[in-house]
Amino acid sequence: MDQISHRFVQVNGLKLHVAEIGLESSPAVIFLHGFPEIWYTWRHQMIAVASAGFRAIAPDFRGYGLSESPAEPEKASFADLITDTASILDALAISKVFVIGKDFGAIIAYPLALLHPEKVAGIITLGLPFMPPGAFKHQFVLPEGAYPLRWAEPGRAEADFGRFDTKTVVKNIYILFSQSEMAIASENEEIMDLVKPSTPLPSWFTEKDLAEYAALYEKSGFRFALQVPYRSLGMAGSEVQDPKVEAKTLLIIGEKDYVLKIPGMDEYVRSGEVKKYVPNQETIYVPDGSHFVHEQFPDQINQLILTYLHNNKHLAAV
């Protein structure tokens, strides 16, 4: 971890934090986090790819971690994060990059390739496939009480989270998202009520890890994170009409990832329908893998990533 350096880049009126490791002359890999994550979620992968001869970059999205938040987070959308990612690459003088996105980081990765194909050498996503236009309005309709719908209601998550300190909120979310069933609350309960105080952290997530996350969410709060992704889901996948990502892509998903329980999601991936949009995709399922498969089984995921990167290294040449 001491080998990872940190810098701030000024893009689109905000000072954004970027963690990095590896030689600037090496092929670049940018890691895009999900929620409740920050750059730190990629700690295992960054070191592995740098050791294998790549340059690893992991930003905190605007409003997350050490990055600045816009003055009016409630006006933000996925489009802002797509633009920020392209601008970070420009600021670091990276002309072509492999993009690795986890969770809603995938909702940034694919449109980045659609809008800036010249910048993207290839894509790996974890836990979420390509999202077709209007995905959560038409195709993957969430059940009532599901956590994304609850958190999309202005004020509801704020009241729910506000009953606990930041560390407890992050701990509860990690516990919930590590399970094989989606967090769904009944009419008279909130999402935080679904975790008993005595429930331990997942075995692969330490108290030190929790402290790292909690410290940065103490700084950033959850205001922006609730806007993007949860209050922007209706816009997910709408950046390009008739989208088709030509880049070679890899989807890694845990067999026990609750995302597969979203109505229609598992069939969308397994039937090959997803290949209408990403024709050059390979999908790898990880037995016993959770939504945090990259933290749960870092050695296995690192090997999958490195195999992909080495097989496609020639695509990063410009």
Side-chain angles (χ1 to χ4, degrees):
M1 289 291 289
D2 294 340
Q3 301 167 312
I4 296 175
S5 63
H6 300 266
R7 72 162 86 180
F8 290 88
V9 294
Q10 191 78 26
V11 298
N12 304 320
L14 295 171
K15 192 167 68 170
L16 302 185
H17 168 248
V18 178
E20 59 183 320
I21 181 173
L23 298 175
E24 290 191 8
S25 57
S26 299
V29 183
I30 190 167
F31 292 89
L32 306 178
H33 65 77
F35 178 82
E37 296 137 6
I38 45 177
W39 76 269
Y40 181 83
T41 194
W42 297 114
R43 59 200 178 280
H44 306 299
Q45 286 71 44
M46 292 181 73
I47 293 168
V49 302
S51 298
F54 294 86
R55 179 185 182 188
I57 303 148
D60 286 331
F61 286 128
R62 60 167 63 193
Y64 283 81
L66 296 173
S67 290
E68 287 184 340
S69 182
E72 298 180 282
E74 290 73 22
K75 293 184 177 179
S77 70
F78 288 110
D80 295 314
L81 306 191
I82 297 163
T83 301
D84 285 348
T85 304
S87 298
I88 287 170
L89 296 175
D90 291 340
L92 299 180
I94 296 170
S95 57
K96 210 166 187 75
V97 69
F98 290 103
V99 184
I100 302 182
K102 188 262 173 183
D103 186 65
F104 86 82
I107 300 178
I108 311 303
Y110 290 114
L112 183 72
L114 289 167
L115 296 169
H116 304 279
E118 74 288 352
K119 293 183 184 294
V120 177
I123 301 171
I124 301 174
T125 61
L126 290 81
L128 207 63
F130 177 93
M131 292 286 105
F136 292 101
K137 284 183 178 177
H138 312 299
Q139 192 157 356
F140 309 121
V141 179
L142 296 163
E144 189 174 342
Y147 78 89
L149 297 181
R150 289 294 183 89
W151 293 351
E153 295 179 37
R156 187 152 193 173
E158 289 85 343
D160 187 13
F161 294 2
R163 298 177 292 155
F164 307 93
D165 60 32
T166 301
K167 187 174 181 179
T168 301
V169 173
V170 175
K171 177 183 178 181
N172 287 353
I173 294 171
Y174 246 83
I175 289 169
L176 287 171
F177 286 10
S178 299
Q179 297 172 357
S180 59
E181 298 294 329
M182 175 176 277
I184 301 174
S186 61
E187 188 177 345
N188 297 318
E189 66 181 350
E190 299 301 326
I191 299 300
M192 289 292 107
D193 297 330
L194 299 175
V195 182
K196 295 178 181 177
S198 60
T199 306
L201 282 167
S203 59
W204 40 264
F205 193 71
T206 68
E207 286 290 341
K208 179 182 179 298
D209 295 333
L210 177 60
E212 291 278 352
Y213 279 80
L216 290 186
Y217 275 99
E218 285 279 0
K219 176 194 174 295
S220 68
F222 297 99
R223 187 178 172 191
F224 189 93
L226 289 168
Q227 175 62 26
V228 183
Y230 299 106
R231 293 167 189 171
S232 306
L233 277 181
M235 294 179 274
S238 61
E239 291 81 6
V240 176
Q241 294 298 315
D242 302 317
K244 183 171 281 192
V245 176
E246 298 294 352
K248 194 169 181 182
T249 65
L250 172 64
L251 170 65
I252 301 171
I253 193 161
E255 288 277 11
K256 295 185 177 178
D257 190 331
Y258 70 84
V259 166
L260 292 173
K261 300 291 179 66
I262 294 173
M265 184 68 74
D266 196 21
E267 183 183 359
Y268 169 69
V269 176
R270 291 186 191 271
S271 70
E273 185 185 349
V274 65
K275 289 197 172 188
K276 289 195 305 187
Y277 308 104
V278 279
N280 297 311
Q281 175 172 293
E282 178 187 3
T283 301
I284 296 176
Y285 290 89
V286 179
D288 298 318
S290 72
H291 193 54
F292 300 106
V293 68
H294 63 301
E295 292 184 280
Q296 182 184 11
F297 299 123
D299 292 343
Q300 184 178 350
I301 300 309
N302 291 350
Q303 193 55 56
L304 293 174
I305 289 172
L306 289 174
T307 298
Y308 172 92
L309 291 176
H310 283 306
N311 287 343
N312 296 287
K313 195 173 183 177
H314 61 284
L315 297 174
V318 291

